[in-house]
Amino acid sequence: MTMSGKEQQAPSAPGGTDIAAAIHLVRNVVLESALDCGCRDRVHEALRELEDFERQRNIVKLLAAAREERRKIALLTEMLSDFAEDDTVDEGVVETASLMFLDIAAAAAEGSRILRETLSLRAGE
């Protein structure tokens, strides 16, 4: 359940854009320089490997965040298991259950967003 009343959002690839931007900058400087030597190809290959490594690192982080959303859903579902076992209506219980369902929906939406982001990173391979 969101304790602070705010939606929590998993950071998408922490630092990933900074690293990607730095790699892009280095690539532009090296590959567009006047140097015409064999080292240019080695630098290009090293940068490509670094990009692949960074992409995989970000995918691992995103998958961990998606698993965390799954864990939240499982906990909330377990908490709801006792809800409405009988036909009595307690307004406090119904309100709490209603909020839990909202939290489950939010966690599911966030998990879905994270997995779509993961797929887009994989497509960039």
Side-chain angles (χ1 to χ4, degrees), residues 55 59 116-125:
R55 184 180 302 111
I59 288 170
R116 283 192 312 273
E117 186 174 342
T118 301
L119 287 174
S120 72
L121 277 177
R122 296 260 330 171
E125 289 182 332

Side-chain angles (χ1 to χ4, degrees), residues 78-92:
E78 180 64 29
M79 291 169 67
L80 279 170
S81 67
D82 294 333
F83 171 69
E85 288 298 319
D86 56 27
D87 292 333
T88 60
V89 177
D90 177 319
E91 287 184 31

